[in-house]
Amino acid sequence: MNTANLLLKERHALIRQRLLADGRVLALDLAQQLNVSEDTIRRDLRDLAAAGLCTRVYGGALPPSPAAAPLAERRMQAPFRKARLAQAAVTLVSAGDVLFIDAGSTNLAIAEALPRLPLTVATNAAAVALALLERPEIALIMVGGRVDARSGANLGAAALRDAERMRPDIFFLGACGIDAEAGLSCFNYEEAEFKRSLAAASKAVLVAATREKFGTAAPFAVLPAAHLTHLVLEHDADSKQAAQFDRQGVQLLYAAAA
């Protein structure tokens, strides 16, 4: 193929093929391979990102996160796999802990899997609060704010003020995109700010992730990968990505196989 004369649609198709094959693309590499300027590739990546076909990150792009669907829809996806992740995640919980459980379908599974221990659990997610409402051994705290329908999270200034008063032992953070280089990301600016504030105040920050989220990104950065303390993975998660997290000092836990 004569890459010097590729049309716009041909470039976009080729970039998408590279993204699918390699899991990421770099603007400099694409510019050299396609014999065009880096500015041209950056415009291409902006166009593809605007169409929801990739997420731009520093130097290139990643596949878009699969977590864009509303919470009600995501709760129906891979429930048994999320339950196994939850069982691995709650092994870190001890009696007397103060936990913050973020919104998200996997975090809802974590709430449902909590051991029968005296705990304090705070959340900004109505679904999580409802799951724990009839657990008398749990002191439940609900963070208020504007309800974001997609994520099922309470957000905004009121939620942020509540979060700033907390010092959780474990923050179960819900991430939409997870990548060892690009870090953790989500779809909402306010949500990213809320998660960063809680992560900074927590003794431990844990993310439990299905394998589809690995190597993907959403538009708003939350944390660098190295700021995680624990990452809970499926037994068959991408070993290359897992090793990159491990090298950054993140403790890896694996869910049991089916």
Side-chain angles (χ1 to χ4, degrees):
M1 181 185 292
N2 181 4
T3 57
N5 298 311
L6 283 175
L7 297 174
L8 176 66
K9 289 184 178 179
E10 293 174 318
R11 282 202 316 274
H12 283 193
L14 195 128
I15 291 170
R16 291 179 64 188
Q17 289 171 8
R18 298 281 171 85
L19 195 58
L20 182 64
D22 301 335
R24 67 180 63 236
V25 291
L26 298 176
L28 178 60
D29 290 349
L30 286 171
Q32 293 172 345
Q33 292 163 10
L34 302 183
N35 195 25
V36 295
S37 70
E38 276 193 75
D39 284 342
T40 296
I41 294 298
R42 291 192 189 100
R43 285 195 295 272
D44 289 341
L45 295 179
R46 280 198 296 270
D47 291 344
L48 291 170
L53 299 173
C54 74
T55 299
R56 295 186 66 205
V57 295
Y58 180 77
L62 289 170
S65 166
L71 178 63
E73 183 178 328
R74 286 182 281 122
R75 287 177 66 173
M76 303 300 292
Q77 299 168 352
F80 298 110
R81 289 163 51 202
K82 291 173 183 176
R84 288 191 289 272
L85 284 168
Q87 289 295 335
V90 300
T91 60
L92 297 174
V93 174
S94 301
D97 278 352
V98 176
L99 313 176
F100 195 101
I101 303 182
D102 199 5
S105 56
T106 304
N107 280 353
L108 176 57
I110 288 173
E112 293 168 342
L114 285 175
R116 298 282 170 173
L117 296 172
L119 300 167
T120 299
V121 178
T123 185
N124 64 327
V128 170
L130 285 171
L132 300 176
L133 197 57
E134 297 183 5
R135 295 278 301 270
E137 76 282 10
I138 291 176
L140 182 61
I141 301 170
M142 184 71 193
V143 169
R146 178 186 61 80
V147 179
D148 178 68
R150 186 206 64 81
S151 65
N154 293 345
L155 301 173
L160 194 58
R161 281 196 303 272
D162 286 349
E164 287 171 347
R165 300 187 183 102
M166 297 181 182
R167 299 292 182 269
D169 293 299
I170 306 175
F171 174 30
F172 293 94
L173 187 155
C176 302
I178 301 167
D179 184 78
E181 293 181 21
L184 312 178
S185 53
C186 67
F187 285 101
N188 183 294
Y189 177 83
E190 286 181 319
E191 194 175 6
E193 184 180 21
F194 181 86
K195 294 173 193 290
R196 280 194 298 271
S197 177
L198 263 172
S202 300
K203 294 177 183 176
V205 181
L206 180 150
V207 166
T210 52
R211 57 180 174 268
E212 292 86 358
K213 288 185 181 180
F214 251 30
T216 70
F220 297 101
V222 177
L223 292 174
H227 287 203
L228 271 185
T229 54
H230 299 82
L231 179 60
V232 185
L233 309 170
E234 295 190 80
H235 72 283
D236 55 354
D238 185 296
S239 58
K240 182 179 178 181
Q241 276 274 337
Q244 288 179 289
F245 277 95
D246 182 60
R247 284 194 292 272
Q248 295 184 69
V250 181
Q251 184 177 333
L252 305 181
L253 289 80
Y254 285 90

mmCIF file of all heavy atoms in Angstrom, residues 136-179:
data_model
loop_
_atom_site.group_PDB
_atom_site.id
_atom_site.type_symbol
_atom_site.label_atom_id
_atom_site.label_comp_id
_atom_site.label_asym_id
_atom_site.label_seq_id
_atom_site.Cartn_x
_atom_site.Cartn_y
_atom_site.Cartn_z
ATOM 1 N N PRO A 136 -27.226 -5.233 59.882
ATOM 2 C CA PRO A 136 -27.147 -4.494 61.147
ATOM 3 C C PRO A 136 -25.726 -4.334 61.674
ATOM 4 O O PRO A 136 -25.471 -3.423 62.482
ATOM 5 C CB PRO A 136 -28.001 -5.342 62.104
ATOM 6 C CG PRO A 136 -28.037 -6.701 61.487
ATOM 7 C CD PRO A 136 -27.989 -6.485 60.019
ATOM 8 N N GLU A 137 -24.812 -5.194 61.257
ATOM 9 C CA GLU A 137 -23.433 -5.088 61.747
ATOM 10 C C GLU A 137 -22.643 -3.993 61.030
ATOM 11 O O GLU A 137 -21.494 -3.690 61.393
ATOM 12 C CB GLU A 137 -22.709 -6.440 61.598
ATOM 13 C CG GLU A 137 -22.257 -6.811 60.190
ATOM 14 C CD GLU A 137 -23.369 -7.340 59.291
ATOM 15 O OE1 GLU A 137 -24.556 -7.259 59.673
ATOM 16 O OE2 GLU A 137 -23.052 -7.832 58.190
ATOM 17 N N ILE A 138 -23.254 -3.387 60.000
ATOM 18 C CA ILE A 138 -22.584 -2.352 59.217
ATOM 19 C C ILE A 138 -23.178 -0.988 59.533
ATOM 20 O O ILE A 138 -24.393 -0.782 59.425
ATOM 21 C CB ILE A 138 -22.694 -2.637 57.704
ATOM 22 C CG1 ILE A 138 -21.857 -3.881 57.347
ATOM 23 C CG2 ILE A 138 -22.246 -1.442 56.877
ATOM 24 C CD1 ILE A 138 -21.964 -4.298 55.893
ATOM 25 N N ALA A 139 -22.320 -0.044 59.937
ATOM 26 C CA ALA A 139 -22.722 1.354 60.079
ATOM 27 C C ALA A 139 -22.607 1.995 58.706
ATOM 28 O O ALA A 139 -21.512 2.100 58.142
ATOM 29 C CB ALA A 139 -21.819 2.063 61.081
ATOM 30 N N LEU A 140 -23.737 2.402 58.156
ATOM 31 C CA LEU A 140 -23.794 2.855 56.766
ATOM 32 C C LEU A 140 -23.881 4.377 56.688
ATOM 33 O O LEU A 140 -24.693 4.999 57.361
ATOM 34 C CB LEU A 140 -25.007 2.214 56.084
ATOM 35 C CG LEU A 140 -25.240 2.506 54.603
ATOM 36 C CD1 LEU A 140 -24.073 2.012 53.756
ATOM 37 C CD2 LEU A 140 -26.550 1.851 54.146
ATOM 38 N N ILE A 141 -23.019 4.952 55.833
ATOM 39 C CA ILE A 141 -23.003 6.401 55.618
ATOM 40 C C ILE A 141 -23.244 6.656 54.136
ATOM 41 O O ILE A 141 -22.524 6.130 53.281
ATOM 42 C CB ILE A 141 -21.657 7.027 56.039
ATOM 43 C CG1 ILE A 141 -21.381 6.761 57.511
ATOM 44 C CG2 ILE A 141 -21.638 8.525 55.739
ATOM 45 C CD1 ILE A 141 -19.971 7.123 57.941
ATOM 46 N N MET A 142 -24.247 7.485 53.846
ATOM 47 C CA MET A 142 -24.566 7.808 52.458
ATOM 48 C C MET A 142 -24.116 9.226 52.147
ATOM 49 O O MET A 142 -24.532 10.179 52.806
ATOM 50 C CB MET A 142 -26.079 7.680 52.223
ATOM 51 C CG MET A 142 -26.507 7.891 50.787
ATOM 52 S SD MET A 142 -25.996 6.525 49.728
ATOM 53 C CE MET A 142 -26.289 7.245 48.108
ATOM 54 N N VAL A 143 -23.247 9.347 51.138
ATOM 55 C CA VAL A 143 -22.766 10.651 50.702
ATOM 56 C C VAL A 143 -23.774 11.241 49.716
ATOM 57 O O VAL A 143 -24.206 10.571 48.782
ATOM 58 C CB VAL A 143 -21.380 10.515 50.038
ATOM 59 C CG1 VAL A 143 -20.973 11.800 49.336
ATOM 60 C CG2 VAL A 143 -20.346 10.115 51.087
ATOM 61 N N GLY A 144 -24.160 12.487 49.937
ATOM 62 C CA GLY A 144 -25.175 13.117 49.098
ATOM 63 C C GLY A 144 -24.600 13.796 47.872
ATOM 64 O O GLY A 144 -23.402 13.712 47.586
ATOM 65 N N GLY A 145 -25.481 14.490 47.158
ATOM 66 C CA GLY A 145 -25.049 15.210 45.970
ATOM 67 C C GLY A 145 -25.964 14.971 44.793
ATOM 68 O O GLY A 145 -27.000 14.306 44.907
ATOM 69 N N ARG A 146 -25.584 15.525 43.645
ATOM 70 C CA ARG A 146 -26.344 15.342 42.418
ATOM 71 C C ARG A 146 -26.165 13.921 41.910
ATOM 72 O O ARG A 146 -25.062 13.409 41.853
ATOM 73 C CB ARG A 146 -25.839 16.339 41.365
ATOM 74 C CG ARG A 146 -26.512 16.230 40.002
ATOM 75 C CD ARG A 146 -25.835 17.148 38.989
ATOM 76 N NE ARG A 146 -24.435 16.816 38.798
ATOM 77 C CZ ARG A 146 -24.003 15.828 38.023
ATOM 78 N NH1 ARG A 146 -24.860 15.045 37.398
ATOM 79 N NH2 ARG A 146 -22.700 15.605 37.889
ATOM 80 N N VAL A 147 -27.246 13.262 41.511
ATOM 81 C CA VAL A 147 -27.170 11.880 41.030
ATOM 82 C C VAL A 147 -26.825 11.864 39.548
ATOM 83 O O VAL A 147 -27.510 12.483 38.727
ATOM 84 C CB VAL A 147 -28.503 11.135 41.260
ATOM 85 C CG1 VAL A 147 -28.412 9.714 40.721
ATOM 86 C CG2 VAL A 147 -28.855 11.122 42.737
ATOM 87 N N ASP A 148 -25.738 11.177 39.216
ATOM 88 C CA ASP A 148 -25.353 10.979 37.823
ATOM 89 C C ASP A 148 -25.987 9.673 37.345
ATOM 90 O O ASP A 148 -25.652 8.593 37.845
ATOM 91 C CB ASP A 148 -23.824 10.905 37.696
ATOM 92 C CG ASP A 148 -23.376 10.644 36.271
ATOM 93 O OD1 ASP A 148 -23.557 11.521 35.423
ATOM 94 O OD2 ASP A 148 -22.860 9.538 36.018
ATOM 95 N N ALA A 149 -26.900 9.762 36.391
ATOM 96 C CA ALA A 149 -27.685 8.597 35.988
ATOM 97 C C ALA A 149 -26.831 7.494 35.360
ATOM 98 O O ALA A 149 -27.104 6.314 35.549
ATOM 99 C CB ALA A 149 -28.782 9.026 35.017
ATOM 100 N N ARG A 150 -25.793 7.871 34.619
ATOM 101 C CA ARG A 150 -24.984 6.840 33.958
ATOM 102 C C ARG A 150 -24.229 5.985 34.959
ATOM 103 O O ARG A 150 -24.235 4.765 34.903
ATOM 104 C CB ARG A 150 -23.989 7.479 32.974
ATOM 105 C CG ARG A 150 -23.214 6.451 32.134
ATOM 106 C CD ARG A 150 -21.876 6.983 31.666
ATOM 107 N NE ARG A 150 -20.981 7.263 32.775
ATOM 108 C CZ ARG A 150 -20.261 6.334 33.407
ATOM 109 N NH1 ARG A 150 -20.350 5.067 33.066
ATOM 110 N NH2 ARG A 150 -19.474 6.673 34.400
ATOM 111 N N SER A 151 -23.543 6.638 35.899
ATOM 112 C CA SER A 151 -22.695 5.913 36.834
ATOM 113 C C SER A 151 -23.444 5.440 38.074
ATOM 114 O O SER A 151 -22.985 4.532 38.769
ATOM 115 C CB SER A 151 -21.519 6.794 37.272
ATOM 116 O OG SER A 151 -21.985 7.912 38.014
ATOM 117 N N GLY A 152 -24.590 6.067 38.380
ATOM 118 C CA GLY A 152 -25.284 5.754 39.622
ATOM 119 C C GLY A 152 -24.622 6.355 40.834
ATOM 120 O O GLY A 152 -24.868 5.934 41.974
ATOM 121 N N ALA A 153 -23.787 7.378 40.627
ATOM 122 C CA ALA A 153 -23.030 7.997 41.722
ATOM 123 C C ALA A 153 -23.589 9.368 42.064
ATOM 124 O O ALA A 153 -24.073 10.090 41.190
ATOM 125 C CB ALA A 153 -21.568 8.134 41.332
ATOM 126 N N ASN A 154 -23.512 9.736 43.345
ATOM 127 C CA ASN A 154 -23.784 11.107 43.767
ATOM 128 C C ASN A 154 -22.501 11.916 43.597
ATOM 129 O O ASN A 154 -21.444 11.530 44.117
ATOM 130 C CB ASN A 154 -24.225 11.146 45.228
ATOM 131 C CG ASN A 154 -25.573 10.480 45.434
ATOM 132 O OD1 ASN A 154 -26.305 10.236 44.475
ATOM 133 N ND2 ASN A 154 -25.903 10.191 46.670
ATOM 134 N N LEU A 155 -22.608 13.030 42.890
ATOM 135 C CA LEU A 155 -21.433 13.837 42.561
ATOM 136 C C LEU A 155 -21.701 15.302 42.886
ATOM 137 O O LEU A 155 -22.763 15.663 43.362
ATOM 138 C CB LEU A 155 -21.084 13.676 41.078
ATOM 139 C CG LEU A 155 -20.765 12.251 40.599
ATOM 140 C CD1 LEU A 155 -20.614 12.229 39.079
ATOM 141 C CD2 LEU A 155 -19.505 11.722 41.267
ATOM 142 N N GLY A 156 -20.730 16.140 42.608
ATOM 143 C CA GLY A 156 -20.895 17.574 42.810
ATOM 144 C C GLY A 156 -20.263 18.066 44.099
ATOM 145 O O GLY A 156 -19.600 17.316 44.826
ATOM 146 N N ALA A 157 -20.474 19.332 44.391
ATOM 147 C CA ALA A 157 -19.807 19.988 45.521
ATOM 148 C C ALA A 157 -20.176 19.357 46.857
ATOM 149 O O ALA A 157 -19.314 19.184 47.736
ATOM 150 C CB ALA A 157 -20.152 21.481 45.529
ATOM 151 N N ALA A 158 -21.448 19.000 47.039
ATOM 152 C CA ALA A 158 -21.874 18.405 48.315
ATOM 153 C C ALA A 158 -21.188 17.063 48.545
ATOM 154 O O ALA A 158 -20.718 16.761 49.647
ATOM 155 C CB ALA A 158 -23.389 18.237 48.334
ATOM 156 N N ALA A 159 -21.133 16.228 47.512
ATOM 157 C CA ALA A 159 -20.472 14.924 47.631
ATOM 158 C C ALA A 159 -18.992 15.097 47.933
ATOM 159 O O ALA A 159 -18.421 14.382 48.766
ATOM 160 C CB ALA A 159 -20.671 14.128 46.342
ATOM 161 N N LEU A 160 -18.369 16.054 47.269
ATOM 162 C CA LEU A 160 -16.941 16.288 47.483
ATOM 163 C C LEU A 160 -16.670 16.767 48.905
ATOM 164 O O LEU A 160 -15.699 16.331 49.540
ATOM 165 C CB LEU A 160 -16.436 17.299 46.457
ATOM 166 C CG LEU A 160 -14.928 17.446 46.295
ATOM 167 C CD1 LEU A 160 -14.285 16.113 45.918
ATOM 168 C CD2 LEU A 160 -14.615 18.494 45.230
ATOM 169 N N ARG A 161 -17.531 17.644 49.445
ATOM 170 C CA ARG A 161 -17.351 18.109 50.831
ATOM 171 C C ARG A 161 -17.453 16.938 51.808
ATOM 172 O O ARG A 161 -16.662 16.832 52.751
ATOM 173 C CB ARG A 161 -18.399 19.170 51.170
ATOM 174 C CG ARG A 161 -18.104 20.558 50.650
ATOM 175 C CD ARG A 161 -18.961 21.608 51.349
ATOM 176 N NE ARG A 161 -20.379 21.336 51.211
ATOM 177 C CZ ARG A 161 -21.127 21.766 50.197
ATOM 178 N NH1 ARG A 161 -20.582 22.495 49.243
ATOM 179 N NH2 ARG A 161 -22.416 21.488 50.151
ATOM 180 N N ASP A 162 -18.437 16.065 51.593
ATOM 181 C CA ASP A 162 -18.575 14.890 52.463
ATOM 182 C C ASP A 162 -17.328 14.007 52.394
ATOM 183 O O ASP A 162 -16.832 13.532 53.417
ATOM 184 C CB ASP A 162 -19.797 14.067 52.052
ATOM 185 C CG ASP A 162 -21.116 14.723 52.450
ATOM 186 O OD1 ASP A 162 -21.076 15.693 53.218
ATOM 187 O OD2 ASP A 162 -22.166 14.248 51.982
ATOM 188 N N ALA A 163 -16.840 13.779 51.188
ATOM 189 C CA ALA A 163 -15.685 12.898 50.993
ATOM 190 C C ALA A 163 -14.431 13.457 51.657
ATOM 191 O O ALA A 163 -13.603 12.701 52.186
ATOM 192 C CB ALA A 163 -15.445 12.681 49.507
ATOM 193 N N GLU A 164 -14.285 14.768 51.636
ATOM 194 C CA GLU A 164 -13.077 15.389 52.194
ATOM 195 C C GLU A 164 -12.980 15.220 53.706
ATOM 196 O O GLU A 164 -11.914 15.410 54.291
ATOM 197 C CB GLU A 164 -13.048 16.877 51.823
ATOM 198 C CG GLU A 164 -12.712 17.101 50.347
ATOM 199 C CD GLU A 164 -12.880 18.547 49.917
ATOM 200 O OE1 GLU A 164 -13.496 19.330 50.703
ATOM 201 O OE2 GLU A 164 -12.425 18.896 48.817
ATOM 202 N N ARG A 165 -14.092 14.832 54.369
ATOM 203 C CA ARG A 165 -14.081 14.627 55.823
ATOM 204 C C ARG A 165 -13.728 13.184 56.190
ATOM 205 O O ARG A 165 -13.664 12.848 57.371
ATOM 206 C CB ARG A 165 -15.443 14.981 56.409
ATOM 207 C CG ARG A 165 -15.878 16.424 56.183
ATOM 208 C CD ARG A 165 -17.155 16.725 56.945
ATOM 209 N NE ARG A 165 -17.638 18.071 56.685
ATOM 210 C CZ ARG A 165 -18.639 18.359 55.861
ATOM 211 N NH1 ARG A 165 -19.278 17.378 55.231
ATOM 212 N NH2 ARG A 165 -19.023 19.610 55.678
ATOM 213 N N MET A 166 -13.529 12.330 55.215
ATOM 214 C CA MET A 166 -13.351 10.893 55.474
ATOM 215 C C MET A 166 -11.892 10.465 55.303
ATOM 216 O O MET A 166 -11.150 11.036 54.499
ATOM 217 C CB MET A 166 -14.236 10.081 54.529
ATOM 218 C CG MET A 166 -15.713 10.348 54.733
ATOM 219 S SD MET A 166 -16.751 9.369 53.645
ATOM 220 C CE MET A 166 -18.374 9.996 54.117
ATOM 221 N N ARG A 167 -11.513 9.441 56.081
ATOM 222 C CA ARG A 167 -10.177 8.850 55.994
ATOM 223 C C ARG A 167 -10.332 7.325 55.956
ATOM 224 O O ARG A 167 -10.029 6.629 56.940
ATOM 225 C CB ARG A 167 -9.313 9.280 57.194
ATOM 226 C CG ARG A 167 -9.072 10.767 57.314
ATOM 227 C CD ARG A 167 -8.181 11.289 56.172
ATOM 228 N NE ARG A 167 -7.919 12.713 56.312
ATOM 229 C CZ ARG A 167 -8.667 13.668 55.769
ATOM 230 N NH1 ARG A 167 -9.760 13.338 55.092
ATOM 231 N NH2 ARG A 167 -8.353 14.928 55.912
ATOM 232 N N PRO A 168 -10.810 6.763 54.858
ATOM 233 C CA PRO A 168 -11.099 5.323 54.818
ATOM 234 C C PRO A 168 -9.849 4.455 54.952
ATOM 235 O O PRO A 168 -8.747 4.840 54.549
ATOM 236 C CB PRO A 168 -11.726 5.132 53.425
ATOM 237 C CG PRO A 168 -12.168 6.501 53.005
ATOM 238 C CD PRO A 168 -11.181 7.438 53.621
ATOM 239 N N ASP A 169 -10.048 3.265 55.518
ATOM 240 C CA ASP A 169 -8.973 2.266 55.519
ATOM 241 C C ASP A 169 -8.778 1.700 54.114
ATOM 242 O O ASP A 169 -7.650 1.476 53.684
ATOM 243 C CB ASP A 169 -9.306 1.129 56.491
ATOM 244 C CG ASP A 169 -9.310 1.591 57.925
ATOM 245 O OD1 ASP A 169 -8.250 2.058 58.394
ATOM 246 O OD2 ASP A 169 -10.363 1.513 58.581
ATOM 247 N N ILE A 170 -9.883 1.465 53.404
ATOM 248 C CA ILE A 170 -9.829 0.991 52.019
ATOM 249 C C ILE A 170 -10.835 1.775 51.194
ATOM 250 O O ILE A 170 -12.006 1.897 51.568
ATOM 251 C CB ILE A 170 -10.153 -0.517 51.892
ATOM 252 C CG1 ILE A 170 -9.255 -1.356 52.796
ATOM 253 C CG2 ILE A 170 -9.984 -0.971 50.431
ATOM 254 C CD1 ILE A 170 -9.619 -2.852 52.786
ATOM 255 N N PHE A 171 -10.377 2.297 50.078
ATOM 256 C CA PHE A 171 -11.256 2.928 49.102
ATOM 257 C C PHE A 171 -11.380 1.976 47.916
ATOM 258 O O PHE A 171 -10.413 1.709 47.208
ATOM 259 C CB PHE A 171 -10.658 4.266 48.657
ATOM 260 C CG PHE A 171 -11.399 4.958 47.539
ATOM 261 C CD1 PHE A 171 -12.768 4.809 47.364
ATOM 262 C CD2 PHE A 171 -10.717 5.783 46.652
ATOM 263 C CE1 PHE A 171 -13.449 5.454 46.334
ATOM 264 C CE2 PHE A 171 -11.375 6.441 45.626
ATOM 265 C CZ PHE A 171 -12.742 6.271 45.465
ATOM 266 N N PHE A 172 -12.579 1.432 47.715
ATOM 267 C CA PHE A 172 -12.851 0.578 46.560
ATOM 268 C C PHE A 172 -13.250 1.500 45.405
ATOM 269 O O PHE A 172 -14.396 1.927 45.296
ATOM 270 C CB PHE A 172 -13.971 -0.422 46.886
ATOM 271 C CG PHE A 172 -13.588 -1.438 47.918
ATOM 272 C CD1 PHE A 172 -13.877 -1.228 49.265
ATOM 273 C CD2 PHE A 172 -12.930 -2.605 47.563
ATOM 274 C CE1 PHE A 172 -13.523 -2.154 50.224
ATOM 275 C CE2 PHE A 172 -12.571 -3.546 48.509
ATOM 276 C CZ PHE A 172 -12.870 -3.327 49.848
ATOM 277 N N LEU A 173 -12.298 1.809 44.593
ATOM 278 C CA LEU A 173 -12.457 2.799 43.538
ATOM 279 C C LEU A 173 -13.021 2.144 42.275
ATOM 280 O O LEU A 173 -12.531 1.102 41.839
ATOM 281 C CB LEU A 173 -11.101 3.456 43.243
ATOM 282 C CG LEU A 173 -11.036 4.645 42.286
ATOM 283 C CD1 LEU A 173 -9.795 5.489 42.607
ATOM 284 C CD2 LEU A 173 -10.978 4.223 40.822
ATOM 285 N N GLY A 174 -14.019 2.771 41.688
ATOM 286 C CA GLY A 174 -14.562 2.290 40.424
ATOM 287 C C GLY A 174 -13.896 3.002 39.264
ATOM 288 O O GLY A 174 -14.028 4.216 39.120
ATOM 289 N N ALA A 175 -13.158 2.266 38.443
ATOM 290 C CA ALA A 175 -12.462 2.851 37.293
ATOM 291 C C ALA A 175 -13.098 2.367 36.001
ATOM 292 O O ALA A 175 -13.432 1.193 35.866
ATOM 293 C CB ALA A 175 -10.984 2.486 37.327
ATOM 294 N N CYS A 176 -13.254 3.280 35.049
ATOM 295 C CA CYS A 176 -13.817 2.904 33.743
ATOM 296 C C CYS A 176 -12.730 2.380 32.814
ATOM 297 O O CYS A 176 -12.930 1.398 32.101
ATOM 298 C CB CYS A 176 -14.511 4.101 33.114
ATOM 299 S SG CYS A 176 -15.839 4.779 34.137
ATOM 300 N N GLY A 177 -11.591 3.057 32.802
ATOM 301 C CA GLY A 177 -10.448 2.631 32.004
ATOM 302 C C GLY A 177 -9.268 2.333 32.905
ATOM 303 O O GLY A 177 -9.029 3.053 33.881
ATOM 304 N N ILE A 178 -8.508 1.275 32.569
ATOM 305 C CA ILE A 178 -7.377 0.847 33.400
ATOM 306 C C ILE A 178 -6.217 0.478 32.487
ATOM 307 O O ILE A 178 -6.324 -0.456 31.672
ATOM 308 C CB ILE A 178 -7.759 -0.362 34.276
ATOM 309 C CG1 ILE A 178 -8.942 -0.016 35.177
ATOM 310 C CG2 ILE A 178 -6.576 -0.823 35.119
ATOM 311 C CD1 ILE A 178 -9.569 -1.222 35.838
ATOM 312 N N ASP A 179 -5.125 1.201 32.628
ATOM 313 C CA ASP A 179 -3.952 0.941 31.795
ATOM 314 C C ASP A 179 -2.703 1.253 32.603
ATOM 315 O O ASP A 179 -2.654 2.253 33.324
ATOM 316 C CB ASP A 179 -3.993 1.808 30.533
ATOM 317 C CG ASP A 179 -2.843 1.513 29.596
ATOM 318 O OD1 ASP A 179 -2.911 0.494 28.892
ATOM 319 O OD2 ASP A 179 -1.887 2.300 29.577
#
